[in-house]
Amino acid sequence: KYEPHKQHEYVKMTLGKSEVLVWKPDSIVDDQTLQYLDPDLGFLGMQEEIHNLEGCKTGTIVGEAQVKDLKRGHPNTRVIQSRWVCAYKGETRVRCRIVAKDFNRGSSAKSLGFSSPTPSIESVHLVLTIACKRGYRLRSLDISHAFMHSPIRGGTKIVLKLPLSVSLVSGEPGFMILDKALNSLRDASLCWLELLSDTVESVGLWNDSLEPCVYGGAIHDENGVFLGHTLAIVYVDDMLLASSTEEAEDRVAKALNKVVPTKTTGLITPSDGGSLTFIGRVITQEKGGSEIFLGVDPQYMNPTFEEYGVTKGSDFVPDIASHLERTVSDSSHQKPLSDEAYSRFRRALGRLLWLSQVRHDLKAWLSLR
């Protein structure tokens, strides 16, 4: 419980149709690096997050007594804890997010109907192949606060217990009955996908059960005039459009921007070429060229090379078979790895598997165990 007194700085803000107090923290830590950050910048970041939640009409603020009344009327109501997740964004900004602590308590997201799909690498290859063959434009989009704009699915009651640094004006703990999804909510991604599908279907795009994150269709304007064809791949809040015309592309982007802030992050045209990054893959096309190239940043494997002391390359194919045979025949090679060595191996393997999705020549070597 936080009680207003002079020793603690706070600001009064509007959230969920009520006034709340946002308290300045004594210290703040980067969630990834665990480094201490400037509390003043963190306090500003917290206020920015409250402002964003209010702007997205995320929910309604209530007290503990009202939550108990709600649970009596709706026994299946989920009451979820939350916490601040902070990140250093430069000398002048600390980003703060209120994140739901929606843990798995014996049931998977899939079994509860919360599971949300992501596109396969084969679908990325297919869309790029069609774009290359037909001379389509490519445009990458970033969706801001996708989850916070996504309505909670009908019939679901979710209550978020806010961090103690966000209290009612009385100083009592604050709760929010969610109308929109939130970061780390297990069904947030599915809520967003449903909102996205409804939005793009209104302009002529549709998907199917085989690849639900890939959309395609004929785009028309408000008067029914045909503008062109568009394909779209969606990976959570990142989107790649492949369109036959700029008009069709703009129609889809503008429809999205009406429901959630959308920013163009890259553009490739057959005439001018260009480069963009989509879910960690670099897509390029030369000016006037007919080929589209898919790869990763040239420095992508450098951290792994540094961890294993690799300082130069080789023109020779590694003799993996001999290593495998020696491992099987010599029990001395079957000693368990240390925790540090195992973590290092997992990091290297993960990077190689990601790289193999754009380097098919590596798949044969990675398939050997």
Side-chain angles (χ1 to χ4, degrees), residues 121 125 281 296 300-301 349-367:
I121 188 60
H125 291 161
R281 282 92 175 194
V296 297
Y300 175 73
M301 289 301 300
L349 183 61
R351 284 184 169 271
L352 284 169
L353 289 173
W354 183 264
L355 180 61
S356 72
Q357 294 183 359
V358 298
R359 285 283 304 273
H360 297 289
D361 57 323
L362 297 178
K363 285 188 176 180
W365 305 109
L366 289 173
S367 64

Side-chain angles (χ1 to χ4, degrees), residues 218-261:
I219 308 301
H220 298 79
D221 67 11
E222 296 88 344
N223 300 315
V225 177
F226 175 69
L227 300 177
H229 292 98
T230 292
L231 296 168
I233 308 176
V234 180
Y235 192 97
V236 192
D237 55 359
D238 290 316
M239 178 180 290
L240 180 67
L241 299 179
S243 305
S244 60
T245 66
E246 184 177 358
E247 292 77 13
E249 175 187 281
D250 285 341
R251 173 76 166 142
V252 176
K254 288 178 181 178
L256 285 168
N257 201 45
K258 286 182 180 180
V259 298
V260 61

Side-chain angles (χ1 to χ4, degrees), residues 12-39:
K12 185 180 292 186
M13 300 186 69
T14 300
L15 177 63
K17 306 172 186 177
S18 300
E19 288 188 329
V20 297
L21 303 182
V22 182
W23 300 82
K24 180 180 178 180
D26 294 326
S27 62
I28 192 167
V29 176
D30 188 295
D31 200 63
Q32 289 188 328
T33 66
L34 302 183
Q35 296 295 313
Y36 283 98
L37 304 175
D38 186 337

Side-chain angles (χ1 to χ4, degrees), residues 78-314:
R78 293 159 56 199
V79 180
I80 299 170
Q81 301 285 331
S82 67
R83 69 184 183 95
W84 286 105
V85 172
C86 304
Y88 177 74
K89 291 295 179 180
E91 295 183 359
T92 60
R93 183 170 181 258
V94 170
R95 187 188 69 191
C96 298
R97 294 281 187 266
I98 292 180
V99 174
K101 296 167 67 175
D102 195 5
F103 299 129
N104 182 352
R105 298 187 184 278
S107 300
S108 67
K110 184 176 181 180
S111 66
L112 294 172
F114 297 162
S115 181
S116 180
T118 54
S120 66
I121 188 60
E122 288 78 16
S123 67
V124 177
H125 291 161
L126 177 60
V127 169
L128 291 179
T129 299
I130 294 173
C132 182
K133 183 69 174 178
R134 297 181 180 178
Y136 280 4
R137 301 163 53 89
L138 295 173
R139 179 175 176 180
S140 56
L141 302 174
D142 177 66
I143 311 298
S144 298
H145 304 301
F147 295 163
M148 288 162 55
H149 285 85
S150 305
I152 296 291
R153 293 184 294 164
T156 303
K157 295 292 184 181
I158 302 176
V159 178
L160 190 77
K161 184 176 182 181
L162 297 171
L164 291 179
S165 51
V166 182
S167 72
L168 303 181
V169 173
S170 64
E172 297 294 327
F175 296 80
M176 177 182 285
I177 303 174
L178 294 180
D179 297 319
K180 304 288 181 64
L182 204 67
N183 295 313
S184 291
L185 201 64
R186 280 195 283 172
D187 44 355
S189 184
L190 185 58
C191 292
W192 158 237
L193 190 62
E194 291 176 347
L195 173 63
L196 171 70
S197 296
D198 291 342
T199 302
V200 297
E201 284 175 7
S202 69
V203 295
L205 295 184
W206 53 271
N207 62 354
D208 61 29
S209 58
L210 183 62
E211 282 285 1
C213 295
V214 179
Y215 299 80
I219 308 301
H220 298 79
D221 67 11
E222 296 88 344
N223 300 315
V225 177
F226 175 69
L227 300 177
H229 292 98
T230 292
L231 296 168
I233 308 176
V234 180
Y235 192 97
V236 192
D237 55 359
D238 290 316
M239 178 180 290
L240 180 67
L241 299 179
S243 305
S244 60
T245 66
E246 184 177 358
E247 292 77 13
E249 175 187 281
D250 285 341
R251 173 76 166 142
V252 176
K254 288 178 181 178
L256 285 168
N257 201 45
K258 286 182 180 180
V259 298
V260 61
T262 305
K263 179 177 66 176
T264 296
T265 56
L267 179 66
I268 297 174
T269 64
S271 58
D272 296 330
S275 178
L276 60 83
T277 300
F278 177 65
I279 55 174
R281 282 92 175 194
V282 180
I283 304 170
T284 57
Q285 186 174 19
E286 295 181 356
K287 183 176 181 179
S290 59
E291 301 90 356
I292 292 176
F293 299 92
L294 179 65
V296 297
D297 188 286
Q299 312 301 318
Y300 175 73
M301 289 301 300
N302 282 6
T304 299
F305 295 151
E306 292 172 3
E307 283 194 310
Y308 282 90
V310 178
T311 58
K312 61 180 180 179
S314 172

